[in-house]
Amino acid sequence: MSMEKNENKTNKIIVVNPIIDDLQKNRIVKTAEKYGVPVEFYPTVDTAIPNLHGAEIVYGISPDLINNAPDLKWFCSASAGIDHYVKAGCFDERDIILTNSSGSFGHTISEYIIMMALYMMRRMPEYEEIVKAHSWKSNLENKSLFGSKIVVLGTGDLGSLFAKRVRGFEPESLIGVSRSGNQVDLFDKVVKVDELPEYLKDVDLLVMCLPGTPETTGLLSKDLIDMMPASSYIINVGRGSAIDIDALVEALENERLAGATLDVLPQEPLPPESPLWDVKNLYITPHISGQETMPWTRDNNYNMFCEDIENYFEGRDLVHLADPKRGY
């Protein structure tokens, strides 16, 4: 998006994040000072909302920050996903620039995927129970990333960084799946979504790194789940809406899948009374594969934000643009 140089010296920047340190604050303040723009920091959405009038730029993670900021021109999402803003109608009738933090989460999420893949494939949950029982059984047959057939749904930042890391384990094959089918060197091959069934028939590990869009909703259907071998595993770090949850539960309970890890769910937080907590061989984590809990992720998020602050006030194209119509 091309822009004229912004000469406005009055509108402010608001940053909403409970985990930001003084060095990160100073970086943002010094960047904004070059353009005579003040910055205000708030730990929560509730504390920020009364102060949003006059905010031209807001950094945060809630649709409420957009809908309560009448002077907003640019919203920078602290998350990579933007589907919650789209569902809230934040951009339906307002011409607001949207950027996101895609590019900051691939390192932490790829480590999470490998951790959970090994956790399931090396049968650590069962060994934990053996040890808790003060037993010494050590002969459970297990699988390995070495020699495995891996399929990755989504070949963007998350899928590509996982592919880069899992290469070191020497899988037999590493297939990427994307809407375009454009080739990415980190994969043996990238295929289009309609070719997915061919690669699910003998897959060992299916990793899902999809954004939340109408096209990805329910993409992993009952028919596709039923194609997968009983010895295979699923890990979803994209969006919970991408899986037919009922079909997944049925497959796990009937031992037609070896295991699944969900860091994302159709409903978050997952209610305490949800039956999903107790599904056999289903491992749930509370959307922690990314977040901003890794210091590098936080630093990179703010570096990206500062880069685009300079672009914004210099009238240059913003680098980290997201498209509400596309969904990412």
Side-chain angles (χ1 to χ4, degrees):
M1 178 179 293
S2 295
M3 303 171 58
E4 295 181 0
K5 187 168 181 177
N6 192 326
E7 301 293 347
N8 193 321
K9 302 298 184 182
T10 58
N11 284 351
K12 60 188 177 182
I13 297 173
I14 282 186
V15 175
V16 184
N17 197 319
I19 47 174
I20 181 170
D21 62 32
D22 289 340
L23 287 175
Q24 293 157 347
K25 286 181 178 179
N26 289 338
R27 186 181 310 140
I28 296 170
V29 169
K30 287 183 178 180
T31 303
E33 277 180 349
K34 292 189 287 187
Y35 306 99
V37 180
V39 184
E40 297 175 7
F41 297 91
Y42 297 95
T44 65
V45 173
D46 288 343
T47 56
I49 284 177
N51 303 286
L52 287 171
H53 280 266
E56 182 173 345
I57 301 169
V58 175
Y59 172 101
I61 204 168
S62 169
D64 290 338
L65 294 172
I66 301 172
N67 293 334
N68 289 281
D71 305 304
L72 183 64
K73 295 182 181 179
W74 164 30
F75 182 76
C76 178
S77 172
S79 64
I82 64 169
D83 49 308
H84 46 306
Y85 308 117
V86 175
K87 290 175 183 176
C90 295
F91 306 96
D92 289 350
E93 298 180 4
R94 297 179 68 186
D95 185 19
I96 299 170
I97 301 167
L98 173 65
T99 60
N100 67 359
S101 299
S102 178
S104 290
F105 299 98
H107 293 289
T108 180
I109 291 178
S110 59
E111 288 185 3
Y112 170 93
I113 296 168
I114 289 172
M115 172 184 74
M116 292 308 300
L118 292 172
Y119 182 75
M120 293 188 294
M121 297 172 86
R122 299 298 299 266
R123 300 182 64 177
M124 286 306 300
E126 291 156 278
Y127 278 118
E128 286 176 352
E129 293 304 315
I130 289 169
V131 171
K132 285 179 183 177
H134 298 190
S135 182
W136 201 258
K137 184 178 180 180
S138 58
N139 61 348
L140 298 181
E141 185 174 343
N142 56 60
K143 299 189 72 172
S144 174
L145 289 171
F146 171 74
S148 62
K149 296 179 180 180
I150 301 173
V151 174
V152 182
L153 268 171
T155 58
D157 178 57
L158 305 187
S160 293
L161 278 174
F162 165 70
K164 181 179 180 180
R165 283 155 177 71
V166 81
R167 273 285 178 209
F169 290 88
E170 301 180 42
E172 178 181 324
S173 62
L174 184 55
I175 304 299
V177 182
S178 70
R179 183 176 61 176
S180 67
N182 291 337
Q183 297 306 301
V184 178
D185 290 343
L186 292 163
F187 297 92
D188 297 334
K189 182 195 298 185
V190 177
V191 301
K192 292 186 176 181
V193 174
D194 58 8
E195 300 176 74
L196 177 60
E198 177 183 347
Y199 295 93
L200 287 184
K201 293 175 182 176
D202 59 356
V203 69
D204 293 303
L205 174 65
L206 174 64
V207 176
M208 302 180 66
C209 304
L210 297 169
T213 69
E215 291 77 18
T216 63
T217 299
L219 192 152
L220 191 65
S221 63
K222 175 176 171 53
D223 288 344
L224 292 179
I225 291 172
D226 288 345
M227 290 179 186
M228 297 176 64
S231 58
S232 61
Y233 298 86
I234 296 171
I235 298 176
N236 188 10
V237 294
R239 281 294 178 264
S241 58
I243 298 181
D244 182 332
I245 288 291
D246 291 339
L248 177 66
V249 168
E250 181 185 2
L252 288 168
E253 292 286 11
N254 290 286
E255 298 185 355
R256 287 188 284 103
L257 284 176
T261 292
L262 303 179
D263 188 51
V264 288
L265 294 138
Q267 181 182 3
E268 296 182 13
L270 187 64
E273 66 275 11
S274 171
L276 289 179
W277 294 110
D278 301 311
V279 173
K280 183 177 182 179
N281 294 327
L282 176 61
Y283 307 101
I284 292 171
T285 54
H287 206 141
I288 49 84
S289 62
Q291 297 292 358
E292 291 185 56
T293 50
M294 181 182 283
W296 182 90
T297 297
R298 290 197 301 275
D299 286 342
N300 198 54
N301 269 8
Y302 295 123
N303 287 339
M304 290 164 57
F305 181 45
C306 288
E307 176 187 17
D308 269 340
I309 289 174
E310 294 187 348
N311 290 329
Y312 179 84
F313 286 107
E314 294 291 343
R316 298 189 293 258
D317 291 346
L318 273 62
V319 175
H320 306 288
L321 287 170
D323 185 352
K325 292 181 180 178
R326 190 173 59 180
Y328 54 93

